[in-house]
Amino acid sequence: PESILRDIDGLAAAGVKEVTLLGQNVNSYCYLGGEVGGMSKAGAESFRAYAEGFTSVYKPRREGVTFAKLLKSAAEQHPEVRFRFTSPHPKDF
């Protein structure tokens, strides 16, 4: 995530007002290297990835830097920039 945030820093410094994060499955992004914010056993047991009535054959990610965390970091560091993302795969909504 550091390289992505550095790129965004450079774009914001150049005066860019809107950044679009593009990928085949941008919602599947999950960086597991470096420091990982894992969950305690109690947190993992109470973790709910989906709204009531929704299920998936995929296991939800419970640790690492997810796309949501990356997007939140970028928005907090650069509130003057509008962030968009495209090509999300529905399995990660």
Side-chain angles (χ1 to χ4, degrees):
E2 292 84 16
S3 65
I4 296 170
L5 294 172
R6 275 194 306 272
D7 287 345
I8 293 170
D9 289 342
L11 293 168
V16 170
K17 297 294 180 195
E18 184 171 291
V19 172
T20 301
L21 301 169
L22 172 67
Q24 181 61 34
N25 293 323
V26 294
N27 289 348
S28 294
Y29 177 86
C30 188
Y31 179 74
L32 296 173
E35 293 185 21
V36 177
M39 284 188 164
S40 66
K41 184 177 179 184
E45 289 171 356
S46 65
F47 177 79
R48 290 189 48 87
Y50 305 103
E52 187 175 333
F54 288 87
T55 61
S56 175
V57 296
Y58 301 101
K59 290 184 178 180
R61 297 182 190 270
R62 294 184 172 144
E63 57 183 36
V65 179
T66 62
F67 181 70
K69 290 177 185 175
L70 174 67
L71 196 57
K72 182 178 180 185
S73 292
E76 288 175 348
Q77 290 178 25
H78 298 286
E80 75 284 2
V81 175
R82 179 178 185 172
F83 292 95
R84 295 176 181 247
F85 66 96
T86 189
S87 300
H89 192 281
K91 81 173 184 71
D92 292 314
F93 278 139

